[in-house]
Amino acid sequence: MHDNNGADGDTGINLSRRKALAALGSIGVASVGAGLGTSAYFSDQETFENNSLVAGTLDMGVGYTAHYSDWSSDEGDGVDVVMYDGDAGETGSGTELPTVDGTTYTGLPANDAWLIAVDDPEAFLDNTRTGAYPNTGTGENPVQGPVTCTDDGTATPQADDAEAPVIDLDDVKPGDFGEVTFDFALCDNPGYVWVNGTLRSADENGVTEPEADDPDEGDGVELLDVVQAAIWIDDGDNYQDGGEEPLVVGSLRDVLGMDASVNGTALNGDLPAEDGGGMSERNCFSAGTTHSVVFAWWVPVDHGNEIQSDTATFDLSLYAEQCRHNDGEGMGRLAFETRYESGIYDEGGAEIPTFDSASGDAYVINADAGVVDVLDLSANSPLSLTKNTTLDPKADLTNAGFGGFDDGSVNSVDAYEGLVAVAVENNDPRADGRVALYDTSDNSFVGSAPLGPLPDLVKFTPDGNTVMIANEGEPASDYTEDPEGSVSVVDVSNGPGNASSATAGFGNFNAQSLREDGVRIFGPGASAAQDLEPESVVAAPDSQTAYVTLQENNAVGKIDISDTSSPEVTDIFPLGYKDFSEPGNELDAVNDGQVDIRNEPLYAMYQPDVIETYEVGGETYIVAANEGDAREYDALFETGILTDTGGGNFAIQIDDDGESATADVDVDESAFSDGVLSRLEGLEVTARPPSFGEGDVSDPGPVTELYLFGGRSYLILDSDGQQVFESGDQFEQIVRNSDDVPNDIGFNADDNENGIDEESPAAGPEPEGVAIGEIDGDVFAFIGFEEVGGVAMFDVTEPGTPSFVDYINTRDFDIDPETAIEDEGEPASVAGDLAPEGLTFVPAADSPSGDPLLIVGYEVSGTTAVYSIA
C-alpha cells in the first residue's frame, strides 16, 4: 500500500488494519506532503568575504533502519522477554521497568510506553529488523550502512535516491509495535533541525461486521486515536535509554498535530548555538556527525475490531537550517504587521493592491467606491498603512474628454517605478474600456489608451515599457451580444502621454480545432474569439512573451509581445483535468460537518485565475492558482448541483432558481459505485462536461463523469504550457493542520460566515491571487485562499519539487462575520481579514522596513493587510 503520491513523488507513511508501513519520502524539504526531508534549507547564512557576499552551504544525508514486532516465535531468540502485566490497554508509562538478576530491562517500543521489556534490546532488534537504507546486508537480513559527509562536504547517501522502507503486515493486531530510526548528517555547517508530521488522509473505509459490533466503534477514523506514537532523539541504538526524553507521546492524531510551527517540533542538538555561529538558546546539531531520531508506534492491547478497515496516511519530515547567523526560528515565516480598513463590508472595499517603489505608496482598488485608494506604507515601529488620497479614474477620463466612463467599474491596478496603470470598464461592459495612467510623484492623471471590452487584470512587463490588460469580453446574459476576448498591449516607452495600444486577439483560432485539442469552447453560437475570455495576464521575465489565463476555457494562451504594435497570440494550451481518485489528490467534497479528506471518483477543471512567471536556469515557469469559475447567464447556466431525483436516479440540477434556459442533466448511475452519488449529493459541478460540444450542444445527455470548478491547487507550467508540478491535496491539508483555522468551524468555511464544510462541495479553500518574490536568491510563491482566508507561501525555486513554507490566516474565527457585521452592525473588520483577492510582493530593497513584505487586499472585510517575511 505504498504510494508515490502526487507529481512531486511524495510518499506517505500508511498504517492500516491489514498493512502498516513506514516510508522515507524521496523528495523535498520538510513540509506538508514532503515525506521525510532529504534536503536542507537555509536562510540568512551569508557572510562577507573580501567585500563579496558568499552564501553558506548545508547538505543533509538521511538513512534509516526499520523494525516491526508481530509476536512471531523467532523474535525472542536469545532474548528474555517480560510482558507488561498492567491493565489492558495501558503501557508501562510511569511504571518501573523490571530488573532481573541485577539487569534492568529495556522497554519496547519505548521506556515511557512499554509493552514488553527485554534484557538484550540489540538482539531483539536484530530479530525484528525489516528494512534499511543504505542496505549493506544480504537476503532477508537488512543492515543499514553509514550516513556520513565526504571530504568535499557532500552528504552520503543522498536520500533523494532512497526507496521507502516498507513494513508489510498480514494483520495489525493489538500489541503490535514498530519503529523507524532515521539517521541524518549535516555537512559543511552545523544546523538547526526540526521534525514534523502531517496527516494526509484518513478513511473509515466502511464499517465491517465485527467492527460494527464493537462497543468502541463510533463516528470517524478510530485508528488515529487508537494507535499510539512517540518521537525522540536517539543515540543510534534504536531504543530509548538514558536521557532520551520523548519529544511527544500520544495518539497518532495528536502526534501528527505536533507541527504547531510551520517548521515542526524543534530538536535540541549537541552543539551550543553560539559555538555554531547561531543566535538561539537551543542547541544546533554539529556538522559531520551522524544524528538519529526515532519514530515509534504501537497498538494497545485492548483495541481491536473498532479499527478494522481503518486507514491513515501521513508524512514525517525533517527540516534543517544553517546555524550560522540564524536565530533558530525557522525561515520564511509570514508575520502580520498592519492593516488599513476601508470600512466597507462585502462590496469589494479592497481588491487588487500594488506597490510603487518610487513613492513608497500602496495603490488598492476600492471597487465599491470606484476609486483607487492611495495608502502610505511607512516604516514606523510597527509599520503603518494610512490613506493619503484617492485616484478617480472615471472622473479623470471623463474630464479628459473620454465619454462613457462616468458609471463604469475600476477593475485593476499595477505600478512600476513612478507610474500607475488602472483598468477602467466602460459604462457598457461590452464596449471598449480604457487604461488610465498616473504619475505617483503627485498622483496626477498623465495619459490614457483604449482597451478591449471588460478590461480586467492590468500588468506591467518587467522592463516597465509595456502595460498589458486582459479583456474578458463577456457576453450579454441572453448571448445576443458576445464581444471577442483579447489582450491589450499598451506601449508606454515614450512616456505615458504618448501611450499607444494594440490588440492581441483570437480570430485566427478555430473553435472545433480547439475543442479537439481539449479547450472548452461552449458558448451558444460563439466563435473561438468570442468564447475565449482572458482573465489574467503576465509577461515572462524577458518582457518579450506574455501568458494569459482563459479561465472558463480551462486553458492558457501564449502571446508574442516583442513588437508591441502587433502582438500575436501564438498558442493556446489546454490544461487538462485533475483526477481526484488518484493518490495525493484527495479532497473533502461533502458538507457533513467533519473534515474528511479522501479520494473521490471526481474530476476537476483547473481553471486558474491569476498567474505569475519566474525564471530558473534560463527557463520560464508559470505559477497558476486554480480557482475555478462558471458561466452563469440566462442563455447558459452551467453551475449544477448533484441531486437525488428519486427512484435511485440522480441529475445535475441547474442552480439558477429556474431563470435560465439551461436544462438539468441526467447522471448515469451505473458509472458509479453503490452509495457514491448519495454520499456526494449537494456537490457543485458543471452541467457542461468535457464531452459537451462533441455532439448535440443543447443536451450533454447522461453524464458518466462529474467535473468540479477549479483544481483546489496550484500549477507550475513550463513555457510551453506543460505541467511541471501540481500541488494535489496540499491546500486542504494546510488548512486542516493550521493553528489559525479551527477545524470545527473554520475548515472549508465560507468567506463571510463560519461553518465547517460550507465550501467542501463547492470551491474548498478557493485559491485565487498569486504573487511571486525572490528572497536571498530563492523564489517564493504566495497564494491567497479566497473562501477560508489566509495566504500560503511556497518555495518554488525547484519547479518540479516545490515545498510548503508557511500559512497565515488573520481571520478571527471566534466571530461569525454574518452575525456580527450584517445582523449586529459591527465594523467590517471585526472578524479580521476576509477573502484575499489580490496580492503583491515588495522586495527588501524597496521595503520601508528593509524586510520583504506581502500586501494583500481582502474584498469582503474591505481591509488591506501587510505581512513581513522573515
Side-chain angles (χ1 to χ4, degrees):
M1 199 170 164
H2 171 247
D3 298 310
N4 285 328
N5 293 330
D8 58 354
D10 295 342
T11 51
I13 294 177
N14 299 261
L15 292 178
S16 72
R17 176 71 179 172
R18 298 298 303 172
K19 177 180 288 187
L21 64 90
L24 171 65
S26 59
I27 298 288
V29 175
S31 62
V32 170
L36 189 91
T38 62
S39 303
Y41 204 86
F42 46 89
S43 64
D44 302 328
Q45 69 282 14
E46 63 273 0
T47 60
F48 282 98
E49 296 179 9
N50 300 321
N51 296 319
S52 297
L53 193 64
V54 179
T57 59
L58 189 63
D59 196 11
M60 176 188 281
V62 181
Y64 69 83
T65 301
H67 299 88
Y68 169 63
S69 169
D70 62 357
W71 302 88
S72 59
S73 59
D74 58 351
E75 290 181 6
D77 291 350
V79 183
D80 186 46
V81 179
V82 176
M83 295 182 61
Y84 176 68
D85 61 358
D87 293 337
E90 294 183 357
T91 61
S93 177
T95 302
E96 187 175 342
L97 288 160
T99 299
V100 180
D101 297 331
T103 298
T104 299
Y105 282 28
T106 297
L108 294 174
N111 281 345
D112 291 286
W114 60 279
L115 293 170
I116 65 171
V118 298
D119 64 337
D120 190 343
E122 288 86 359
F124 186 87
L125 291 172
D126 283 343
N127 295 339
T128 57
R129 189 165 53 245
T130 58
Y133 177 82
N135 186 4
T136 61
T138 59
E140 296 182 359
N141 184 31
V143 177
Q144 181 189 326
V147 178
T148 60
C149 297
T150 62
D151 292 340
D152 65 357
T154 301
T156 180
Q158 289 290 324
D160 292 21
D161 301 325
E163 294 184 0
V166 179
I167 306 172
D168 287 311
L169 312 177
D170 291 331
D171 194 14
V172 178
K173 305 176 295 296
D176 286 2
F177 63 89
E179 68 84 37
V180 180
T181 299
F182 296 102
D183 294 338
F184 63 92
L186 302 177
C187 303
D188 275 353
N189 286 291
Y192 301 103
V193 178
W194 292 257
V195 61
N196 61 42
T198 302
L199 183 67
R200 290 180 64 88
S201 64
D203 200 335
E204 182 92 74
N205 291 320
V207 179
T208 63
E209 183 175 351
E211 190 177 8
D213 293 338
D214 194 297
D216 293 326
E217 172 64 25
D219 295 330
V221 182
E222 291 84 8
L223 185 73
L224 297 175
D225 300 302
V226 169
V227 175
Q228 302 294 295
I231 294 178
W232 68 84
I233 299 172
D234 195 65
D235 59 9
D237 58 14
N238 309 100
Y239 56 87
Q240 185 187 7
D241 56 17
E244 297 168 351
E245 294 297 325
L247 300 169
V248 58
V249 178
S251 69
L252 191 60
R253 189 188 302 274
D254 291 340
V255 169
L256 295 182
M258 69 186 176
D259 52 342
S261 74
V262 169
N263 302 299
T265 298
L267 306 180
N268 196 38
D270 61 327
L271 181 72
E274 60 183 20
D275 293 348
M279 302 168 289
S280 175
E281 294 184 0
R282 75 179 175 101
N283 289 351
C284 297
F285 286 84
S286 56
T289 302
T290 300
H291 310 278
S292 302
V293 60
V294 170
F295 172 80
W297 62 271
W298 61 97
V299 183
V301 297
D302 66 336
H303 291 280
N305 287 336
E306 81 272 22
I307 65 172
Q308 188 162 326
S309 78
D310 290 3
T311 61
T313 304
F314 58 94
D315 290 333
L316 285 180
S317 305
L318 290 182
Y319 173 91
E321 179 177 288
Q322 184 170 281
C323 188
R324 181 160 51 94
H325 302 314
N326 284 327
D327 59 10
E329 295 298 319
M331 77 84 55
R333 294 183 58 84
L334 294 163
F336 173 80
E337 294 291 341
T338 187
R339 72 167 55 91
Y340 166 75
E341 302 174 8
S342 70
I344 300 168
Y345 177 71
D346 206 13
E347 296 292 344
E351 291 192 347
I352 309 298
T354 188
F355 179 78
D356 175 51
S357 60
S359 63
D361 288 338
Y363 291 75
V364 184
I365 292 292
N366 184 332
D368 178 73
V371 299
V372 180
D373 289 332
V374 183
L375 309 179
D376 174 53
L377 181 59
S378 296
N380 300 324
S381 185
L383 282 169
S384 63
L385 193 64
T386 56
K387 184 174 177 178
N388 271 346
T389 186
T390 59
L391 307 181
D392 191 345
K394 295 187 295 182
D396 292 331
L397 288 173
T398 300
N399 293 335
F402 302 109
F405 291 94
D406 57 310
D407 195 34
S409 297
V410 177
N411 291 336
S412 182
V413 62
D414 197 27
Y416 182 88
E417 296 182 2
L419 185 63
V420 163
V422 185
V424 186
E425 183 180 326
N426 198 290
N427 296 349
D428 176 359
R430 280 163 290 287
D432 288 346
R434 292 195 74 89
V435 62
L437 301 170
Y438 293 85
D439 183 338
T440 65
S441 65
D442 58 4
N443 291 311
S444 59
F445 175 76
V446 291
S448 179
L451 306 175
L454 194 60
D456 196 346
L457 192 134
V458 58
K459 193 79 171 179
F460 277 91
T461 54
D463 63 11
N465 291 326
T466 307
V467 183
M468 304 170 300
I469 300 91
N471 304 309
E472 284 199 77
E474 290 184 349
S477 191
D478 60 3
Y479 265 82
T480 55
E481 293 181 82
D482 189 1
E484 295 184 357
S486 63
V487 173
S488 292
V489 178
V490 181
D491 186 347
V492 294
S493 60
N494 295 317
N498 299 307
S500 61
S501 63
T503 300
F506 302 96
N508 292 331
F509 291 88
N510 176 269
Q512 186 57 36
S513 295
L514 288 175
R515 288 191 194 101
E516 292 171 358
D517 289 341
V519 179
R520 299 181 79 223
I521 305 293
F522 62 105
S527 66
Q530 291 172 311
D531 203 68
L532 295 168
E533 297 181 1
E535 190 80 23
S536 169
V537 65
V538 65
D542 64 3
S543 298
Q544 302 298 299
T545 303
Y547 297 89
V548 57
T549 54
L550 307 167
Q551 188 172 25
E552 289 85 352
N553 312 102
N554 195 35
V556 170
K558 186 175 184 178
I559 310 170
D560 181 355
I561 57 171
S562 58
D563 182 352
T564 57
S565 65
S566 59
E568 180 186 4
V569 180
T570 58
D571 299 279
I572 296 177
F573 306 122
L575 295 177
Y577 301 94
K578 181 171 182 174
D579 185 350
F580 284 108
S581 71
E582 292 291 329
N585 285 350
E586 292 82 5
L587 82 165
D588 189 333
V590 180
N591 185 357
D592 58 0
Q594 58 183 337
V595 180
D596 187 16
I597 302 173
R598 57 183 293 173
N599 290 118
E600 299 283 8
L602 300 171
Y603 298 88
M605 303 169 286
Y606 289 108
Q607 296 186 304
D609 187 339
V610 179
I611 55 173
E612 289 285 352
T613 62
Y614 68 106
E615 187 174 87
V616 174
E619 298 293 329
T620 296
Y621 294 93
I622 305 162
V623 178
N626 302 321
E627 177 196 26
D629 199 7
R631 286 180 169 157
E632 297 183 343
Y633 305 107
D634 289 345
L636 171 61
F637 201 103
E638 69 166 313
T639 303
I641 304 299
L642 180 63
T643 304
D644 185 344
T645 57
N649 298 315
F650 287 82
I652 300 173
Q653 290 192 342
I654 304 304
D655 190 26
D656 63 349
D657 296 324
E659 296 180 359
S660 82
T662 308
D664 296 343
V665 178
D666 291 333
V667 177
D668 183 353
E669 296 85 8
S670 68
F672 298 86
S673 300
D674 290 346
V676 168
L677 294 177
S678 294
R679 180 168 52 79
L680 294 173
E681 186 177 11
L683 187 70
E684 185 176 288
V685 296
T686 179
R688 294 294 180 263
S691 60
F692 182 72
E694 296 177 0
D696 180 2
V697 296
S698 65
D699 182 10
V703 297
T704 58
E705 296 172 338
L706 299 174
Y707 286 80
L708 280 65
F709 300 100
R712 305 191 184 193
S713 60
Y714 73 98
L715 284 170
I716 298 181
L717 308 173
D718 67 15
S719 58
D720 292 322
Q722 297 301 300
Q723 188 177 126
V724 176
F725 174 82
E726 201 274 345
S727 63
D729 66 351
Q730 282 194 10
F731 287 176
E732 283 175 277
Q733 299 289 2
I734 288 168
V735 173
R736 170 196 218 159
N737 288 291
S738 170
D739 284 350
D740 291 342
V741 181
N743 282 342
D744 59 340
I745 59 172
F747 177 80
N748 280 355
D750 187 75
D751 60 13
N752 63 359
E753 60 180 313
N754 295 340
I756 181 174
D757 264 347
E758 288 295 323
E759 287 295 323
S760 288
E766 192 170 340
E768 180 171 8
V770 179
I772 289 283
E774 183 174 322
I775 304 173
D776 297 332
D778 295 307
V779 184
F780 297 89
F782 305 87
I783 300 174
F785 297 169
E786 186 173 15
E787 290 292 354
V788 70
V791 175
M793 176 180 178
F794 299 87
D795 182 343
V796 295
T797 309
E798 296 291 338
T801 56
S803 58
F804 170 61
V805 177
D806 198 2
Y807 172 72
I808 187 170
N809 193 329
T810 48
R811 174 176 178 170
D812 186 351
F813 285 94
D814 289 334
I815 298 172
D816 183 73
E818 185 178 50
T819 301
I821 302 170
E822 297 181 25
D823 298 340
E824 299 174 0
E826 294 287 345
S829 61
V830 69
D833 301 302
L834 307 174
E837 177 79 5
L839 302 83
T840 192
F841 175 80
V842 181
D846 298 334
S847 166
S849 67
D851 293 323
L853 302 174
L854 187 70
I855 303 175
V856 183
Y858 293 84
E859 65 172 335
V860 171
S861 58
T863 55
T864 303
V866 180
Y867 303 92
S868 61
I869 309 166

